[in-house]
Amino acid sequence: MKKPARNWASKREKKAQTMKKIEHLLDGKYVPTEAIIEVLEQLIRPGDKVVLEGDNQKQASFLSKSLEQVDAQKVNNLHMIMSSISRPEHLTIFEKGIAAKIDFSYAGAQSTRVAQMIEDKTMKLGDIHTYLELYGRLFIDLIPNVVLVAADKADRQGNLYTGYNTEETPTIVEAAAFKDGIVIVQVNEVVDRLPRVDIPSDWIDVVVVADQPYQLEALFTRDPQNITELQILMAMMALKGIYAEHEVQSLNHGIGFNTAAIELLLPTYGETLGIKGKVAKNWVLNPHPTMIPAIESGWVESIHSFGGEVGMEKYIAARPDVFFVGKDGTMRSNRALSQTAGQYAIDMFIGSTLQLDYQGNSSTVTKGRLSGFGGAPNMGHNPGGRRHSTPAWQSLRDETDPLAKGQKLVVQMVETYGSNKKPVFVETLDALAVQKQAGLANAPIMIYSEDTTHIVTEEGIAYLYKANSKEEKQAAIAAIGGVTPLGMTSTKASLDALRKAGIVKLPEDLGIKRSDAKRSLLAAQTVDDLIEWSDGLYEPPMKFRTWS
């Protein structure tokens, strides 16, 4: 049988034809800074799938501002793929008609505007993803035509150095570079010799020197002086009732003052519990400054990071035994690999949320805010593919089932009333209303009840994995629900039965006096204390400094 003739390199040829359009602008791989808008207009076609790098911290800000300025008659109807919608122009391109559809993971500061634009039909939503899900789809059905990314430095040949904030850059670039997509990179500077090569030049098509360094935010810095005694009480309960009880050795902390309190209690309250060397040794975590006292006092063996943190560079370089640091003295971060570690390799994820329903389903999507959920669903679920065993994982095993296996600890740590003075526990999550408004196939749940093993509030701990029915699970949540509508349904008889069964533990059940939860327990009470713990290596951004 004679097969019909087919060109098996059509995409490659199409890319070559497209690149010819900017031959007159290229000097090797470089184009002039002032020519970037023309370059984008020539290389991006209407309807293209375009990845614009904008993760939690590092923003390809020069390229995003340039994309906003292209002629919408030439570049339009783009399908944008972004892990994080972080900057105003990320959404302005939709208002101008340059972009039409988006797939993303997290919106953060732009969440209100995203919700409004979807309601106004200015933006068509593909889906809200976890980080790993979005990265995975870049190699399956969202293969990009063009990617716009940022790097610290490039050499004359176009090799890239991404520095402390490598983050997701190699993953994005690889998805395009090996499928005949076009890779455009903004760099802060060009040097003769790079500290190390993070991405080779043959993966790169165009390099442009930005008019100013890419935007980089300190998102994981929590000032110890803002930690409350209520959060210290919750941290004490978590350390004694979860970390110590389950021998949690590998873990991830969400960002928040409650988990920052735990980090700062390790060298003090943790020492009194006698659990040093037994818990909290191996971490997948951005380099939180509030981890410095625990590192310095010998609690921490290793930290692999999603990204860097502004001000921690010198400290990290001086602690290569703990962080993943190259010969050049800079940390190597990797968002995709850290998310994979968070999904499969850790014993516990502990973080916060904006709403929990009466069964323990949680979401950060609330009315008028389509924030997404980033990587929490990767780390905050019990992965069916896990096979290796640890004491913490096995501690949740159903001993009555011979085929049972362990389970990851997934902890939600919340105050019963949020900063908005509204109950965290709600009968129906706002996510259900947002699902209808945005036309989503599924409600944007961050962590499902089936994966949530513990809830910690200022009232106590609910060990949900011990509950034998939906009714018992709801009663356990109500027992620690305080004066919320759900909490008010709890009775003394129900509470006593749950405490006797070990499904709920109050501070007194753990031998903790509420009056002992004082700020004096924190290993560092100010940012200045963190600087002192670091031997002066930590250099916090100006907004966190105190002057006296």
Side-chain angles (χ1 to χ4, degrees):
M1 177 180 174
K2 186 177 180 180
K3 293 191 292 186
R6 175 175 173 178
N7 179 3
W8 292 95
S10 61
K11 294 177 182 177
R12 187 163 299 170
E13 291 174 4
K14 191 173 183 179
K15 175 181 177 178
Q17 291 168 2
T18 302
M19 288 298 297
K20 280 185 178 180
K21 297 178 181 179
I22 64 164
E23 273 184 340
H24 63 290
L25 296 171
L26 283 170
D27 178 8
K29 294 182 184 292
Y30 285 86
V31 296
T33 304
E34 63 274 12
I36 189 59
I37 294 173
E38 180 184 351
V39 169
L40 295 178
E41 290 176 346
Q42 293 293 341
L43 297 184
I44 303 176
R45 298 181 296 267
D48 270 353
K49 294 184 181 72
V50 177
V51 179
L52 175 58
E53 184 173 20
D55 49 45
N56 274 344
Q57 298 160 291
K58 184 175 69 171
Q59 306 292 321
S61 45
F62 172 68
L63 290 174
S64 64
K65 288 187 292 184
S66 300
L67 182 62
E68 182 187 25
Q69 297 174 59
V70 299
D71 185 344
Q73 296 297 314
K74 298 176 181 178
V75 180
N76 52 66
N77 201 37
L78 300 181
H79 181 172
M80 302 301 298
I81 304 164
M82 301 178 63
S83 65
S84 179
I85 304 171
S86 305
R87 294 173 56 86
E89 67 266 18
H90 291 171
L91 297 177
T92 304
I93 58 175
F94 288 88
E95 294 172 341
K96 291 186 172 183
I98 297 165
K101 184 178 181 180
I102 192 159
D103 280 87
F104 76 102
S105 294
Y106 182 68
Q110 302 298 328
S111 58
T112 302
R113 193 175 169 199
V114 168
Q116 188 62 53
M117 289 178 72
I118 290 173
E119 185 176 354
D120 295 342
K121 303 190 184 307
T122 306
M123 170 193 288
K124 182 179 179 182
L125 180 62
D127 248 315
I128 309 173
H129 308 70
T130 72
Y131 286 133
L132 277 180
E133 180 183 16
L134 189 66
Y135 301 151
R137 289 190 68 190
L138 294 180
F139 297 88
I140 304 297
D141 61 332
L142 290 180
I143 300 170
N145 304 107
V146 179
V147 299
L148 308 173
V149 299
D152 278 26
K153 300 176 176 65
D155 63 15
R156 307 295 173 185
Q157 290 73 44
N159 297 298
L160 302 182
Y161 167 71
T162 50
Y164 299 89
N165 286 279
T166 297
E167 301 240 11
E168 64 196 20
T169 316
T171 305
I172 294 171
V173 171
E174 187 167 336
F178 291 89
K179 212 69 176 71
D180 299 310
I182 294 173
V183 179
I184 304 173
V185 185
Q186 69 168 79
V187 298
N188 294 342
E189 60 177 325
V190 182
V191 296
D192 292 324
R193 183 179 176 84
L194 296 175
R196 66 171 188 250
V197 174
D198 289 316
I199 301 174
S201 63
D202 58 358
W203 294 19
I204 309 303
D205 297 299
V206 177
V207 182
V208 60
V209 179
D211 57 5
Q212 56 183 316
Y214 58 72
Q215 179 191 350
L216 185 62
E217 294 291 333
L219 292 183
F220 300 95
T221 299
R222 295 293 176 265
D223 190 334
Q225 69 181 350
N226 294 323
I227 296 173
T228 67
E229 292 185 346
L230 206 61
Q231 290 160 345
I232 293 169
L233 173 63
M234 293 166 64
M236 293 170 70
M237 287 191 287
L239 278 172
K240 191 168 186 180
I242 300 176
Y243 290 62
E245 184 168 319
H246 294 280
E247 297 183 48
V248 174
Q249 296 191 14
S250 56
L251 68 161
N252 168 262
H253 275 185
I255 55 171
F257 288 104
N258 44 22
T259 47
I262 295 174
E263 293 159 11
L264 291 170
L265 287 183
L266 286 172
T268 56
Y269 181 66
E271 293 278 355
T272 69
L273 297 177
I275 56 176
K276 183 178 178 180
K278 300 177 183 178
V279 307
K281 296 193 297 184
N282 306 110
W283 298 69
V284 52
L285 190 73
N286 277 286
H288 297 183
T290 44
M291 285 293 295
I292 292 172
I295 294 170
E296 293 299 302
S297 52
W299 281 77
V300 180
E301 291 184 3
S302 68
I303 297 177
H304 188 264
S305 298
F306 308 90
E309 184 69 351
V310 177
M312 287 287 283
E313 295 87 353
K314 289 183 179 178
Y315 179 75
I316 292 168
R319 302 293 184 268
D321 280 355
V322 172
F323 295 96
F324 284 71
V325 176
K327 293 179 181 179
D328 66 308
T330 60
M331 184 182 73
R332 168 74 173 195
S333 61
N334 190 306
R335 184 166 294 277
L337 289 181
S338 271
Q339 288 291 335
T340 302
Q343 181 162 337
Y344 285 104
I346 61 173
D347 292 334
M348 181 178 77
F349 165 74
I350 180 167
S352 193
T353 187
L354 296 178
Q355 286 189 337
L356 283 154
D357 70 12
Y358 291 0
Q359 283 297 304
N361 297 294
S362 70
S363 183
T364 52
V365 173
T366 55
K367 289 177 181 176
R369 287 187 58 197
L370 198 60
S371 57
F373 26 64
N378 293 135
M379 290 174 286
H381 90 290
N382 186 41
R386 176 167 169 168
R387 292 297 184 271
H388 74 280
S389 180
T390 60
W393 195 66
Q394 286 291 86
S395 70
L396 272 64
R397 183 178 185 271
D398 180 0
E399 298 293 344
T400 65
D401 182 354
L403 295 181
K405 57 180 181 176
Q407 185 175 350
K408 183 195 291 184
L409 283 76
V410 177
V411 185
Q412 296 284 260
M413 194 174 183
V414 296
E415 294 176 43
T416 53
Y417 276 83
S419 57
N420 57 4
K421 307 303 179 186
K422 294 181 180 179
V424 167
F425 299 107
V426 295
E427 189 168 6
T428 303
L429 295 171
D430 286 357
L432 291 169
V434 174
Q435 175 193 6
K436 294 179 181 178
Q437 176 191 338
L440 293 168
N442 300 299
I445 303 300
M446 183 175 72
I447 297 174
Y448 287 95
S449 173
E450 65 200 60
D451 293 315
T452 307
T453 61
H454 302 70
I455 297 176
V456 183
T457 73
E458 70 274 18
E459 301 295 333
I461 303 175
Y463 295 76
L464 299 186
Y465 73 95
K466 294 183 179 181
N468 294 311
S469 65
K470 287 185 175 182
E471 292 75 19
E472 193 167 53
K473 182 179 283 190
Q474 180 169 326
I477 298 172
I480 60 163
V483 293
T484 64
L486 173 62
M488 297 299 284
T489 67
S490 182
T491 64
K492 184 179 184 303
S494 172
L495 175 60
D496 289 344
L498 290 165
R499 291 172 71 185
K500 185 176 181 180
I503 298 172
V504 168
K505 291 184 181 179
L506 305 183
E508 47 266 40
D509 299 324
L510 295 167
I512 295 172
K513 294 181 180 179
R514 295 175 187 266
S515 58
D516 287 344
K518 299 295 184 184
R519 281 187 46 81
S520 57
L521 274 180
L522 298 175
Q525 297 183 42
T526 66
V527 169
D528 285 346
D529 291 342
L530 294 176
I531 296 172
E532 185 175 345
W533 268 100
S534 76
D535 296 328
L537 293 168
Y538 173 46
E539 298 178 336
M542 297 294 286
K543 65 181 179 180
F544 293 107
R545 290 180 179 270
T546 55
W547 307 98
S548 58

